């Protein structure tokens, strides 16, 4: 949860005041990601510096979109990407 707090601080310091508000992401959601085996961490030795959720299958976030899907193939989505600020390009690793 400390990583998510660092991510929120970064967003606020860089003008993003409307994302990850009202307690999001809640600890219960993170625990659900762990339970569903879709939470991944990035580590350097014994230190975790990044986290994200990779969710396969239907994502309710995209049940309604502006436009249409180009096919009906299965897909995956990445959510809740966050780093502690110690490394740049968290998803480039």
């Amino acid at each position: 949860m400390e990583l998510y707090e660092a991510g929120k601080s970064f967003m606020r310091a860089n003008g993003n005041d409307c994302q990850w508000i009202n307690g999001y992401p809640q600890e219960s959601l993170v625990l659900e990601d762990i339970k569903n085996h879709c939470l991944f961490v990035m580590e350097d030795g014994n230190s975790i510096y990044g986290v994200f959720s990779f969710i396969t299958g239907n994502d309710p976030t995209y049940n309604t979109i502006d436009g249409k899907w180009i096919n009906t193939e299965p897909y995956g989505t990445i959510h809740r990407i966050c780093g502690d600020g110690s490394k740049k390009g968290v998803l480039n690793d």
Side-chain angles (χ1 to χ4, degrees):
M1 297 309 295
E2 290 175 22
L3 284 172
Y4 293 114
E5 290 305 316
K8 289 178 194 180
S9 293
F10 178 84
M11 284 190 269
R12 301 305 171 262
N14 289 279
N16 183 349
D17 294 327
C18 60
Q19 194 170 4
W20 289 12
I21 58 172
N22 301 323
Y24 181 90
Q26 299 83 354
E27 185 173 346
S28 59
L29 180 59
V30 174
L31 291 172
E32 184 78 11
D33 285 348
I34 293 169
K35 178 181 147 194
N36 292 329
H37 305 283
C38 63
L39 184 109
F40 297 86
V41 299
M42 289 153 276
E43 60 183 327
D44 185 8
N46 294 325
S47 176
I48 295 174
Y49 64 88
V51 64
F52 65 95
S53 297
F54 179 68
I55 302 165
T56 57
N58 182 47
D59 184 339
T61 305
Y62 300 106
N63 282 345
T64 303
I65 62 171
D66 183 15
K68 66 178 187 170
W69 292 106
I70 59 172
N71 61 49
T72 58
E73 298 295 320
Y75 64 95
T77 53
I78 298 175
H79 287 288
R80 297 179 280 290
I81 304 164
C82 189
D84 66 3
S86 66
K87 298 192 181 290
K88 293 190 180 277
V90 169
L91 287 182
N92 292 330
D93 290 350

